[in-house]
């Protein structure tokens, strides 16, 4: 099973944001509540935490590109054998 990591809405009027840094790499183990990337909006930059435990997989977005709120940006998978580099 995989958990979708989507662009969060960090403010009431926010409709997109940019990932400015990944704090974890594909294949890294992540714990629930651990920061996995940094997001920049027009008002702030903040860390976003993993919502589940597993391994970071399938990053689908580039750094510095506007990403709509709710868009899939990566997945967290249960086992190392489920890791994929990127999703086309």
């Amino acid at each position: 099973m995989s958990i979708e990591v989507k662009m969060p809405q960090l403010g009431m009027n926010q409709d997109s944001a940019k990932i400015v840094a990944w704090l974890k790499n594909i294949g890294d183990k992540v714990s629930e509540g651990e920061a996995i990337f940094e997001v920049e909006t027009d008002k702030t930059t903040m860390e976003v935490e993993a919502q589940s435990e597993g391994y970071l997989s399938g990053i689908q977005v580039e750094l510095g590109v506007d990403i709509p709120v709710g868009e899939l940006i990566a997945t967290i998978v249960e086992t190392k054998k489920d890791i994929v580099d990127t999703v086309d």
Side-chain angles (χ1 to χ4, degrees), residues 4-69:
E4 294 182 336
V5 179
K6 295 183 178 184
M7 178 58 73
Q9 183 169 15
L10 304 170
M12 288 184 60
N13 296 324
Q14 175 203 349
D15 57 356
S16 67
K18 296 176 185 177
I19 297 177
V20 293
W22 283 97
L23 305 175
K24 293 289 189 173
N25 296 310
I26 290 177
D28 286 351
K29 179 122 174 90
V30 297
S31 300
E32 185 174 348
E34 181 177 19
I36 56 174
F37 60 92
E38 290 181 356
V39 170
E40 178 182 84
T41 68
D42 59 343
K43 297 183 181 185
T44 189
T45 299
M46 66 185 307
E47 294 180 344
V48 177
E49 299 176 349
Q51 299 300 308
S52 66
E53 184 174 308
Y55 297 89
L56 187 60
S57 176
I59 294 175
Q60 300 188 43
V61 297
E62 295 181 29
L63 294 179
V65 176
D66 273 329
I67 303 163
V69 168

